[in-house]
Coordinates of all heavy atoms in Angstrom, one line a residue:
M19 N -140.8 -13.7 41.7 CA -140.9 -14.6 40.6 C -140.1 -15.8 40.9 O -139.0 -15.8 41.4 CB -140.2 -13.8 39.4 CG -140.6 -14.4 38.1 SD -139.8 -15.9 37.5 CE -138.1 -15.5 38.0
S20 N -140.7 -17.0 40.6 CA -140.1 -18.2 41.0 C -139.0 -18.6 40.0 O -139.1 -18.4 38.8 CB -141.1 -19.3 41.1 OG -141.4 -19.9 39.9
E21 N -138.0 -19.2 40.5 CA -136.9 -19.7 39.6 C -137.4 -20.7 38.6 O -136.9 -20.9 37.6 CB -135.8 -20.2 40.5 CG -134.6 -20.7 39.7 CD -133.8 -19.5 38.9 OE1 -134.0 -18.4 39.3 OE2 -133.2 -19.9 38.0
S22 N -138.4 -21.5 39.0 CA -138.9 -22.5 38.1 C -139.5 -21.9 36.8 O -139.4 -22.5 35.8 CB -140.0 -23.3 38.8 OG -141.2 -22.6 39.0
T23 N -140.0 -20.7 36.9 CA -140.5 -20.0 35.6 C -139.3 -19.8 34.7 O -139.4 -20.0 33.5 CB -141.2 -18.7 36.0 OG1 -142.3 -19.0 36.8 CG2 -141.7 -18.1 34.7
R24 N -138.2 -19.3 35.2 CA -137.0 -19.1 34.4 C -136.5 -20.4 33.8 O -136.1 -20.5 32.6 CB -135.9 -18.5 35.2 CG -136.2 -17.0 35.5 CD -135.0 -16.4 36.3 NE -135.4 -15.0 36.7 CZ -135.3 -14.0 35.9 NH1 -134.8 -14.1 34.6 NH2 -135.6 -12.8 36.3
V25 N -136.5 -21.5 34.6 CA -136.0 -22.8 34.2 C -137.0 -23.3 33.1 O -136.4 -23.8 32.1 CB -136.0 -23.8 35.4 CG1 -135.8 -25.2 34.9 CG2 -135.0 -23.4 36.4
K26 N -138.2 -23.1 33.2 CA -139.2 -23.5 32.1 C -139.0 -22.8 30.8 O -139.0 -23.4 29.8 CB -140.6 -23.4 32.6 CG -141.0 -24.3 33.7 CD -142.4 -24.0 34.2 CE -142.8 -24.9 35.4 NZ -144.1 -24.5 35.9
L27 N -138.7 -21.5 31.0 CA -138.4 -20.7 29.7 C -137.2 -21.1 29.1 O -137.1 -21.2 27.9 CB -138.4 -19.2 30.1 CG -139.8 -18.5 30.3 CD1 -139.6 -17.2 30.9 CD2 -140.4 -18.4 28.9
R28 N -136.1 -21.3 29.9 CA -134.8 -21.8 29.3 C -135.0 -23.1 28.6 O -134.5 -23.3 27.5 CB -133.7 -21.9 30.3 CG -133.2 -20.6 30.8 CD -132.0 -20.8 31.8 NE -132.1 -19.7 32.8 CZ -132.3 -19.9 34.1 NH1 -132.5 -21.1 34.7 NH2 -132.3 -18.9 34.9
A29 N -135.7 -24.0 29.2 CA -136.0 -25.4 28.6 C -136.7 -25.2 27.3 O -136.4 -25.9 26.3 CB -136.7 -26.3 29.6
F30 N -137.7 -24.4 27.3 CA -138.5 -24.1 26.1 C -137.6 -23.7 24.9 O -137.6 -24.2 23.8 CB -139.6 -23.1 26.3 CG -140.3 -22.7 25.1 CD1 -141.5 -23.4 24.7 CD2 -139.9 -21.6 24.3 CE1 -142.1 -23.1 23.5 CE2 -140.6 -21.3 23.1 CZ -141.7 -22.0 22.8
V31 N -136.8 -22.7 25.2 CA -135.8 -22.2 24.2 C -134.9 -23.2 23.7 O -134.7 -23.4 22.5 CB -135.1 -20.9 24.7 CG1 -134.0 -20.5 23.8 CG2 -136.0 -19.8 25.0
L32 N -134.3 -24.0 24.6 CA -133.4 -25.0 24.2 C -134.0 -26.1 23.4 O -133.4 -26.7 22.5 CB -132.7 -25.6 25.5 CG -131.7 -24.7 26.2 CD1 -131.2 -25.3 27.5 CD2 -130.5 -24.3 25.3
E33 N -135.3 -26.4 23.8 CA -136.0 -27.4 23.0 C -136.3 -26.9 21.6 O -136.3 -27.8 20.6 CB -137.3 -27.8 23.7 CG -138.2 -28.7 23.0 CD -139.6 -28.9 23.7 OE1 -139.5 -29.0 25.0 OE2 -140.6 -28.9 23.0
K34 N -136.7 -25.7 21.4 CA -137.1 -25.1 20.1 C -136.0 -24.7 19.2 O -136.2 -24.7 18.0 CB -138.0 -23.9 20.3 CG -139.3 -24.3 21.1 CD -140.2 -25.2 20.3 CE -141.5 -25.5 21.0 NZ -142.4 -26.3 20.2
T35 N -134.8 -24.4 19.8 CA -133.7 -23.8 18.9 C -133.1 -24.9 18.0 O -133.0 -26.1 18.3 CB -132.6 -23.2 19.8 OG1 -131.8 -22.5 18.9 CG2 -131.8 -24.3 20.6
E36 N -132.8 -24.4 16.9 CA -132.0 -25.3 15.9 C -130.6 -24.9 15.9 O -129.8 -25.5 15.2 CB -132.7 -25.1 14.5 CG -134.1 -25.6 14.5 CD -134.8 -25.3 13.1 OE1 -134.1 -24.9 12.2 OE2 -136.0 -25.6 13.1
S37 N -130.3 -23.9 16.7 CA -128.8 -23.5 16.8 C -128.1 -24.1 17.9 O -128.7 -24.4 18.9 CB -128.8 -21.9 17.0 OG -129.5 -21.2 16.0
A38 N -126.8 -24.3 17.7 CA -126.0 -24.8 18.8 C -125.7 -23.6 19.7 O -125.3 -22.5 19.3 CB -124.7 -25.4 18.3
I39 N -126.0 -23.8 21.0 CA -125.7 -22.7 22.0 C -125.0 -23.3 23.2 O -125.4 -24.3 23.7 CB -127.0 -22.0 22.4 CG1 -126.6 -20.9 23.4 CG2 -128.0 -22.9 23.0 CD1 -127.6 -19.8 23.5
A40 N -123.9 -22.7 23.5 CA -123.1 -23.2 24.6 C -123.5 -22.5 25.9 O -123.4 -23.1 26.9 CB -121.6 -22.9 24.3
D41 N -123.9 -21.2 25.8 CA -124.2 -20.5 27.0 C -125.5 -19.6 26.9 O -125.4 -18.5 26.5 CB -123.0 -19.5 27.3 CG -123.1 -18.9 28.7 OD1 -123.7 -19.4 29.6 OD2 -122.6 -17.8 28.8
L42 N -126.6 -20.2 27.3 CA -127.9 -19.5 27.3 C -128.0 -18.8 28.6 O -128.0 -19.5 29.7 CB -129.0 -20.5 27.0 CG -130.4 -19.8 27.2 CD1 -130.7 -18.7 26.1 CD2 -131.5 -20.9 27.1
T43 N -128.1 -17.5 28.6 CA -128.4 -16.8 29.9 C -129.7 -16.1 29.7 O -130.3 -16.1 28.7 CB -127.3 -15.7 30.1 OG1 -127.5 -14.6 29.1 CG2 -125.9 -16.2 30.0
D44 N -130.2 -15.5 30.8 CA -131.5 -14.8 30.8 C -131.4 -13.5 30.0 O -132.5 -12.9 29.8 CB -132.0 -14.6 32.2 CG -132.3 -15.9 32.9 OD1 -132.4 -16.9 32.2 OD2 -132.5 -15.9 34.2
Q45 N -130.2 -13.1 29.6 CA -130.1 -11.9 28.8 C -129.7 -12.2 27.4 O -129.6 -11.3 26.6 CB -129.0 -11.0 29.4 CG -129.2 -10.5 30.8 CD -128.9 -11.5 31.9 OE1 -128.0 -12.3 31.8 NE2 -129.8 -11.6 32.9
T46 N -129.6 -13.4 27.0 CA -129.4 -13.8 25.6 C -130.5 -13.4 24.7 O -131.7 -13.8 25.0 CB -129.1 -15.3 25.5 OG1 -128.0 -15.7 26.3 CG2 -128.8 -15.7 24.0
H47 N -130.2 -12.7 23.6 CA -131.3 -12.3 22.7 C -131.8 -13.5 21.9 O -131.0 -14.1 21.2 CB -130.7 -11.2 21.7 CG -130.5 -9.9 22.4 ND1 -131.0 -8.7 21.9 CD2 -129.9 -9.6 23.6 CE1 -130.7 -7.7 22.8 NE2 -130.0 -8.2 23.8
L48 N -133.0 -13.8 22.1 CA -133.5 -15.1 21.6 C -133.7 -15.0 20.0 O -133.4 -16.0 19.3 CB -134.9 -15.3 22.2 CG -134.9 -15.5 23.7 CD1 -136.3 -15.6 24.3 CD2 -133.9 -16.6 24.2
F49 N -134.2 -14.0 19.5 CA -134.4 -13.9 18.0 C -133.2 -13.3 17.3 O -132.8 -13.8 16.2 CB -135.7 -13.1 17.7 CG -136.9 -13.8 18.2 CD1 -137.4 -13.5 19.4 CD2 -137.5 -14.7 17.4 CE1 -138.6 -14.1 19.9 CE2 -138.7 -15.4 17.9 CZ -139.2 -15.1 19.2
E50 N -132.6 -12.3 17.9 CA -131.4 -11.7 17.3 C -130.3 -12.7 17.1 O -129.5 -12.6 16.1 CB -131.0 -10.5 18.2 CG -130.2 -9.4 17.5 CD -130.0 -8.3 18.5 OE1 -130.9 -7.4 18.7 OE2 -128.9 -8.1 19.0
N51 N -130.1 -13.6 18.0 CA -129.1 -14.5 18.0 C -129.5 -15.8 17.3 O -128.7 -16.8 17.2 CB -128.6 -14.9 19.4 CG -127.8 -13.8 20.0 OD1 -127.2 -13.0 19.4 ND2 -127.9 -13.8 21.4
G52 N -130.7 -15.9 16.7 CA -131.1 -17.0 15.9 C -131.6 -18.2 16.7 O -131.7 -19.3 16.2
L53 N -131.8 -18.1 18.0 CA -132.2 -19.2 18.8 C -133.6 -19.6 18.5 O -134.0 -20.7 18.5 CB -132.0 -18.9 20.3 CG -130.7 -18.6 20.8 CD1 -130.6 -18.2 22.2 CD2 -129.8 -19.8 20.5
L54 N -134.5 -18.6 18.3 CA -135.8 -18.8 17.9 C -136.1 -18.1 16.6 O -135.5 -17.0 16.3 CB -136.8 -18.3 19.0 CG -136.8 -19.0 20.3 CD1 -137.7 -18.3 21.3 CD2 -137.0 -20.4 20.2
K55 N -137.0 -18.6 15.8 CA -137.3 -18.0 14.5 C -138.7 -17.3 14.6 O -139.5 -17.6 15.5 CB -137.5 -19.1 13.4 CG -136.3 -20.0 13.3 CD -135.1 -19.3 12.6 CE -134.0 -20.3 12.3 NZ -132.7 -19.7 12.6
S56 N -139.0 -16.4 13.8 CA -140.2 -15.6 13.9 C -141.4 -16.5 13.8 O -142.5 -16.2 14.5 CB -140.3 -14.5 12.8 OG -140.2 -15.1 11.5
V57 N -141.3 -17.6 13.1 CA -142.5 -18.6 13.0 C -142.8 -19.2 14.4 O -143.8 -19.8 14.6 CB -142.3 -19.6 11.9 CG1 -142.3 -19.0 10.6 CG2 -141.1 -20.5 12.2
Q58 N -141.9 -19.1 15.3 CA -142.0 -19.7 16.7 C -142.6 -18.8 17.7 O -142.9 -19.1 18.8 CB -140.7 -20.3 17.2 CG -140.2 -21.4 16.3 CD -138.8 -21.8 16.7 OE1 -137.9 -20.9 16.7 NE2 -138.6 -23.1 16.9
V59 N -142.9 -17.5 17.2 CA -143.5 -16.5 18.2 C -144.8 -17.0 18.8 O -145.0 -16.9 20.0 CB -143.7 -15.2 17.5 CG1 -144.5 -14.2 18.3 CG2 -142.3 -14.6 17.2
M60 N -145.7 -17.6 18.0 CA -146.9 -18.0 18.5 C -146.8 -19.2 19.6 O -147.4 -19.2 20.6 CB -147.9 -18.5 17.4 CG -148.6 -17.3 16.7 SD -149.3 -16.0 17.8 CE -150.5 -17.0 18.8
D61 N -145.8 -20.1 19.3 CA -145.5 -21.1 20.3 C -145.1 -20.5 21.5 O -145.4 -20.9 22.6 CB -144.5 -22.1 19.7 CG -145.0 -23.0 18.6 OD1 -146.2 -23.2 18.5 OD2 -144.1 -23.5 17.9
L62 N -144.2 -19.5 21.4 CA -143.6 -18.9 22.7 C -144.8 -18.1 23.4 O -144.9 -18.2 24.6 CB -142.5 -17.9 22.3 CG -141.9 -17.1 23.4 CD1 -141.3 -18.0 24.5 CD2 -140.8 -16.2 22.9
I63 N -145.6 -17.4 22.7 CA -146.8 -16.7 23.3 C -147.6 -17.7 24.1 O -148.0 -17.5 25.2 CB -147.6 -15.9 22.3 CG1 -146.7 -14.7 21.8 CG2 -148.9 -15.5 22.9 CD1 -147.3 -14.0 20.6
L64 N -148.0 -18.8 23.4 CA -148.9 -19.8 24.1 C -148.2 -20.4 25.3 O -148.8 -20.7 26.3 CB -149.2 -20.9 23.1 CG -150.2 -20.5 21.9 CD1 -150.3 -21.6 20.9 CD2 -151.5 -20.1 22.4
F65 N -146.9 -20.7 25.2 CA -146.1 -21.2 26.3 C -146.1 -20.2 27.5 O -146.3 -20.6 28.6 CB -144.7 -21.6 25.9 CG -143.9 -22.2 27.0 CD1 -144.2 -23.5 27.4 CD2 -142.9 -21.5 27.7 CE1 -143.5 -24.1 28.4 CE2 -142.2 -22.1 28.7 CZ -142.5 -23.4 29.1
V66 N -145.8 -18.9 27.2 CA -145.8 -17.9 28.3 C -147.2 -17.8 28.9 O -147.3 -17.7 30.1 CB -145.3 -16.6 27.7 CG1 -145.5 -15.5 28.8 CG2 -143.8 -16.7 27.3
E67 N -148.2 -17.9 28.1 CA -149.6 -17.8 28.6 C -149.8 -19.0 29.6 O -150.4 -18.8 30.7 CB -150.7 -17.8 27.5 CG -150.8 -16.5 26.8 CD -151.8 -16.6 25.6 OE1 -152.1 -17.7 25.2 OE2 -152.3 -15.5 25.3
E68 N -149.3 -20.2 29.2 CA -149.5 -21.4 30.0 C -148.8 -21.2 31.3 O -149.4 -21.5 32.4 CB -149.0 -22.6 29.3 CG -149.1 -23.9 30.0 CD -148.4 -25.0 29.2 OE1 -148.7 -25.1 28.0 OE2 -147.7 -25.8 29.8
I69 N -147.6 -20.7 31.3 CA -146.8 -20.7 32.6 C -147.2 -19.5 33.4 O -147.1 -19.5 34.6 CB -145.3 -20.8 32.4 CG1 -144.8 -19.6 31.6 CG2 -144.9 -22.1 31.8 CD1 -143.3 -19.5 31.5
S70 N -147.7 -18.4 32.8 CA -148.1 -17.2 33.6 C -149.5 -17.3 34.0 O -149.9 -16.6 35.0 CB -147.9 -16.0 32.8 OG -148.9 -15.9 31.7
G71 N -150.3 -18.2 33.4 CA -151.8 -18.3 33.7 C -152.6 -17.1 33.3 O -153.7 -16.9 33.7
E72 N -152.0 -16.2 32.4 CA -152.7 -15.1 31.9 C -152.6 -15.0 30.4 O -151.6 -15.4 29.8 CB -152.2 -13.8 32.5 CG -152.5 -13.8 34.0 CD -152.2 -12.4 34.6 OE1 -152.1 -11.4 33.8 OE2 -152.1 -12.3 35.8
E73 N -153.7 -14.5 29.8 CA -153.7 -14.4 28.3 C -152.9 -13.1 27.9 O -153.0 -12.1 28.6 CB -155.2 -14.2 27.8 CG -155.3 -14.2 26.3 CD -156.8 -14.2 25.9 OE1 -157.6 -14.9 26.6 OE2 -157.1 -13.5 24.9
I74 N -152.2 -13.2 26.8 CA -151.4 -12.1 26.3 C -152.2 -11.4 25.2 O -152.7 -12.0 24.3 CB -150.0 -12.6 25.8 CG1 -149.2 -13.2 26.9 CG2 -149.3 -11.5 25.0 CD1 -147.9 -13.8 26.4
D75 N -152.3 -10.1 25.4 CA -152.9 -9.3 24.4 C -152.0 -9.1 23.2 O -151.1 -8.2 23.2 CB -153.3 -7.9 25.0 CG -153.9 -7.0 23.9 OD1 -154.3 -7.4 22.8 OD2 -154.0 -5.7 24.3
V76 N -152.1 -9.9 22.2 CA -151.2 -9.9 21.0 C -151.3 -8.6 20.2 O -150.3 -8.2 19.6 CB -151.3 -11.1 20.1 CG1 -150.9 -12.4 20.9 CG2 -152.7 -11.3 19.6
E77 N -152.4 -8.0 20.3 CA -152.7 -6.7 19.5 C -151.9 -5.6 20.2 O -151.5 -4.6 19.5 CB -154.1 -6.4 19.5 CG -155.0 -7.5 18.9 CD -155.6 -7.1 17.6 OE1 -155.6 -5.9 17.2 OE2 -155.9 -8.0 16.8
G78 N -151.6 -5.7 21.5 CA -150.9 -4.7 22.2 C -149.4 -4.9 22.4 O -148.7 -4.2 23.1
L79 N -148.9 -6.0 21.8 CA -147.5 -6.3 21.9 C -146.6 -5.2 21.3 O -146.9 -4.7 20.2 CB -147.1 -7.7 21.3 CG -147.6 -8.9 22.0 CD1 -147.3 -10.1 21.3 CD2 -147.0 -9.0 23.4
K80 N -145.5 -4.9 22.0 CA -144.5 -4.0 21.5 C -143.3 -4.7 21.0 O -143.0 -5.8 21.4 CB -144.1 -3.0 22.6 CG -145.2 -2.3 23.3 CD -145.3 -0.9 22.9 CE -146.3 -0.1 23.7 NZ -147.6 -0.2 23.2
P81 N -142.6 -4.2 20.0 CA -141.4 -4.8 19.5 C -140.4 -5.0 20.7 O -140.3 -4.2 21.6 CB -140.8 -3.8 18.5 CG -141.9 -3.0 18.1 CD -142.9 -3.0 19.3
G82 N -139.8 -6.2 20.8 CA -138.8 -6.5 21.8 C -139.5 -7.1 23.1 O -138.8 -7.4 24.0
A83 N -140.8 -7.3 23.1 CA -141.5 -7.9 24.2 C -140.9 -9.3 24.6 O -141.0 -9.7 25.7 CB -142.9 -8.0 24.0
F84 N -140.3 -10.0 23.6 CA -139.8 -11.3 23.8 C -138.3 -11.3 23.5 O -137.8 -12.3 23.1 CB -140.5 -12.3 22.9 CG -142.0 -12.5 23.3 CD1 -143.0 -11.7 22.6 CD2 -142.4 -13.3 24.3 CE1 -144.3 -11.9 23.0 CE2 -143.7 -13.4 24.7 CZ -144.7 -12.7 23.9
K85 N -137.6 -10.2 23.8 CA -136.2 -10.1 23.4 C -135.4 -11.1 24.1 O -134.6 -11.8 23.5 CB -135.8 -8.7 23.8 CG -134.3 -8.4 23.6 CD -133.9 -7.0 24.0 CE -133.8 -7.0 25.5 NZ -133.3 -5.7 26.0
D86 N -135.6 -11.3 25.4 CA -134.8 -12.3 26.2 C -135.6 -12.8 27.3 O -136.7 -12.3 27.6 CB -133.5 -11.8 26.6 CG -133.6 -10.5 27.4 OD1 -134.5 -10.4 28.2 OD2 -132.8 -9.5 27.3
I87 N -135.1 -13.8 28.1 CA -135.9 -14.3 29.2 C -136.2 -13.3 30.3 O -137.3 -13.2 30.7 CB -135.2 -15.6 29.7 CG1 -135.2 -16.7 28.7 CG2 -135.8 -16.0 31.1 CD1 -134.4 -17.9 29.0
D88 N -135.2 -12.4 30.6 CA -135.5 -11.4 31.6 C -136.6 -10.5 31.2 O -137.5 -10.2 32.0 CB -134.2 -10.5 31.8 CG -133.3 -11.1 32.8 OD1 -133.6 -12.1 33.5 OD2 -132.1 -10.6 32.8
T89 N -136.7 -10.1 29.9 CA -137.8 -9.3 29.4 C -139.1 -10.0 29.4 O -140.1 -9.4 29.8 CB -137.4 -8.8 27.9 OG1 -136.1 -8.2 28.0 CG2 -138.5 -7.9 27.4
I90 N -139.1 -11.3 29.0 CA -140.4 -12.0 29.1 C -140.9 -12.1 30.5 O -142.1 -11.8 30.8 CB -140.1 -13.5 28.5 CG1 -139.8 -13.4 27.0 CG2 -141.4 -14.3 28.8 CD1 -139.3 -14.7 26.4
I91 N -140.0 -12.4 31.5 CA -140.4 -12.4 32.9 C -141.0 -11.0 33.3 O -142.1 -11.0 33.9 CB -139.2 -12.8 33.8 CG1 -138.7 -14.2 33.5 CG2 -139.5 -12.6 35.3 CD1 -139.6 -15.3 33.9
K92 N -140.3 -10.0 33.0 CA -140.7 -8.6 33.4 C -142.0 -8.3 32.7 O -143.0 -7.7 33.4 CB -139.6 -7.6 33.0 CG -140.0 -6.2 33.2 CD -138.8 -5.2 32.8 CE -139.3 -3.8 32.9 NZ -139.5 -3.2 31.6
N93 N -142.2 -8.6 31.5 CA -143.5 -8.2 30.7 C -144.7 -9.0 31.0 O -145.8 -8.5 31.0 CB -143.2 -8.2 29.3 CG -142.3 -7.1 28.8 OD1 -142.3 -6.0 29.4 ND2 -141.6 -7.3 27.7
F94 N -144.5 -10.3 31.4 CA -145.6 -11.2 31.4 C -145.7 -12.1 32.7 O -146.8 -12.6 32.9 CB -145.5 -12.2 30.2 CG -145.5 -11.4 28.9 CD1 -144.3 -11.4 28.2 CD2 -146.6 -10.8 28.4 CE1 -144.2 -10.7 27.0 CE2 -146.5 -10.1 27.2 CZ -145.3 -10.1 26.5
C95 N -144.7 -12.1 33.5 CA -144.8 -13.0 34.7 C -144.7 -12.3 36.0 O -145.2 -12.7 37.0 CB -143.7 -14.1 34.7 SG -143.7 -15.1 33.2
E96 N -144.1 -11.1 36.1 CA -143.9 -10.4 37.4 C -145.3 -9.9 37.9 O -145.5 -10.0 39.1 CB -143.0 -9.2 37.2 CG -141.5 -9.6 37.2 CD -140.5 -8.5 37.2 OE1 -140.9 -7.4 36.9 OE2 -139.4 -8.8 37.3
N97 N -146.1 -9.5 37.0 CA -147.5 -9.0 37.5 C -148.3 -10.1 38.1 O -148.9 -9.9 39.2 CB -148.3 -8.4 36.3 CG -147.8 -7.1 35.9 OD1 -147.1 -6.4 36.6 ND2 -148.1 -6.7 34.6
R98 N -148.2 -11.3 37.6 CA -148.8 -12.4 38.2 C -148.3 -12.7 39.6 O -149.0 -13.0 40.5 CB -148.7 -13.7 37.3 CG -149.3 -14.9 37.9 CD -148.9 -16.1 37.1 NE -147.4 -16.2 37.2 CZ -146.7 -17.3 37.5 NH1 -147.3 -18.4 37.6 NH2 -145.4 -17.3 37.6
D99 N -147.0 -12.6 39.7 CA -146.4 -12.9 41.0 C -146.8 -11.9 42.0 O -147.0 -12.2 43.2 CB -144.8 -13.0 40.9 CG -144.4 -14.3 40.1 OD1 -145.2 -15.2 40.2 OD2 -143.3 -14.3 39.6
R100 N -146.8 -10.6 41.6 CA -147.3 -9.5 42.5 C -148.7 -9.7 43.0 O -149.0 -9.6 44.1 CB -147.1 -8.2 41.9 CG -145.7 -7.6 42.1 CD -145.6 -6.2 41.6 NE -144.6 -6.3 40.5 CZ -144.6 -5.7 39.4 NH1 -145.6 -5.0 39.1 NH2 -143.7 -5.9 38.4
K101 N -149.6 -10.1 42.0 CA -151.0 -10.4 42.3 C -151.1 -11.5 43.4 O -151.8 -11.4 44.3 CB -151.8 -10.8 41.1 CG -152.2 -9.6 40.2 CD -153.0 -10.1 39.1 CE -152.9 -9.2 37.9 NZ -153.6 -9.9 36.8
S102 N -150.3 -12.6 43.1 CA -150.3 -13.7 44.0 C -149.9 -13.3 45.4 O -150.5 -13.7 46.4 CB -149.4 -14.8 43.4 OG -149.3 -15.9 44.3
T103 N -148.8 -12.5 45.4 CA -148.3 -12.1 46.8 C -149.4 -11.2 47.5 O -149.6 -11.4 48.7 CB -147.0 -11.3 46.6 OG1 -146.1 -12.1 45.9 CG2 -146.4 -10.8 47.9
R104 N -150.0 -10.3 46.7 CA -151.0 -9.5 47.3 C -152.2 -10.3 47.8 O -152.7 -10.2 48.9 CB -151.5 -8.4 46.3 CG -150.6 -7.3 46.2 CD -151.3 -6.1 45.5 NE -151.9 -6.5 44.2 CZ -151.3 -6.3 43.1 NH1 -150.1 -5.8 43.0 NH2 -152.0 -6.6 41.9
L105 N -152.6 -11.3 47.0 CA -153.7 -12.2 47.4 C -153.4 -13.0 48.7 O -154.2 -13.1 49.6 CB -154.1 -13.1 46.3 CG -154.8 -12.5 45.1 CD1 -155.0 -13.5 44.0 CD2 -156.2 -11.9 45.6
N106 N -152.1 -13.5 48.7 CA -151.7 -14.3 49.8 C -151.6 -13.5 51.1 O -152.0 -13.9 52.1 CB -150.4 -15.0 49.5 CG -150.5 -16.2 48.5 OD1 -151.6 -16.7 48.4 ND2 -149.5 -16.5 47.9
S107 N -151.1 -12.3 51.0 CA -151.0 -11.4 52.1 C -152.3 -10.9 52.6 O -152.6 -10.8 53.8 CB -150.0 -10.2 51.9 OG -150.6 -9.4 50.9
S108 N -153.3 -10.7 51.7 CA -154.6 -10.3 52.1 C -155.4 -11.5 52.8 O -156.1 -11.2 53.7 CB -155.4 -9.8 51.0 OG -155.8 -10.8 50.1
H109 N -155.0 -12.7 52.4 CA -155.7 -13.8 53.1 C -155.1 -14.0 54.5 O -155.9 -14.3 55.4 CB -155.5 -15.1 52.3 CG -156.3 -15.2 51.1 ND1 -157.7 -15.2 51.1 CD2 -155.9 -15.3 49.8 CE1 -158.1 -15.2 49.8 NE2 -157.0 -15.3 49.0
T110 N -153.8 -13.8 54.6 CA -153.2 -14.0 56.0 C -153.6 -12.8 56.9 O -153.8 -13.0 58.1 CB -151.7 -14.1 55.9 OG1 -151.2 -12.9 55.3 CG2 -151.3 -15.3 55.2
S111 N -153.8 -11.6 56.4 CA -154.2 -10.5 57.3 C -155.7 -10.6 57.7 O -156.0 -10.0 58.7 CB -153.9 -9.2 56.6 OG -154.7 -9.0 55.5
T112 N -156.5 -11.3 57.0 CA -157.9 -11.3 57.4 C -158.2 -12.6 58.3 O -159.2 -12.7 58.8 CB -158.8 -11.4 56.2 OG1 -158.5 -12.5 55.3 CG2 -158.7 -10.1 55.3
S113 N -157.2 -13.4 58.4 CA -157.4 -14.6 59.2 C -157.4 -14.3 60.7 O -156.8 -13.5 61.2 CB -156.2 -15.6 59.0 OG -156.0 -15.8 57.6

């Protein structure tokens, strides 16, 4: 998983938050700590779809799927990175 994905997610949270935050980490609870409001969930989903390149099945979402940046990466971005790695390695092995 690229560090740039984490940087983009942190920037999104900082841009959207109305709370003062001194220390945003990848384990900071985004909604529980009031950094994001429930009305911003759709913005977050659309942003994650944009950076991951994959559509999110909103009907299949489980509570806590967007708990923190680490959880978002695990749930929505790692699969894309694994697919990319597999595709790249299959291209190099067939060359």
Side-chain angles (χ1 to χ4, degrees):
M19 197 284 314
S20 86
E21 183 62 24
S22 69
T23 302
R24 288 183 186 277
V25 170
K26 289 175 186 175
L27 281 166
R28 285 185 214 117
F30 175 88
V31 171
L32 291 172
E33 177 186 316
K34 297 292 182 182
T35 190
E36 296 174 6
S37 303
I39 180 158
D41 188 30
L42 174 64
T43 70
D44 292 349
Q45 296 80 37
T46 302
H47 290 229
L48 303 176
F49 293 94
E50 206 173 279
N51 289 331
L53 299 177
L54 297 177
K55 308 285 186 219
S56 60
V57 296
Q58 294 170 309
V59 169
M60 281 311 300
D61 288 339
L62 180 57
I63 289 171
L64 292 171
F65 183 73
V66 171
E67 286 180 336
E68 180 184 314
I69 63 173
S70 71
E72 294 193 15
E73 190 173 320
I74 293 173
D75 174 17
V76 293
E77 305 249 338
L79 286 176
K80 305 252 187 280
F84 295 96
K85 176 179 77 173
D86 55 37
I87 291 173
D88 277 347
T89 303
I90 294 169
I91 296 290
K92 179 179 169 248
N93 288 333
F94 306 106
C95 300
E96 284 183 349
N97 287 338
R98 176 194 61 138
D99 289 336
R100 273 188 242 136
K101 280 185 209 170
S102 175
T103 301
R104 282 195 306 265
L105 287 174
N106 288 337
S107 64
S108 69
H109 288 300
T110 57
S111 64
T112 58
S113 309

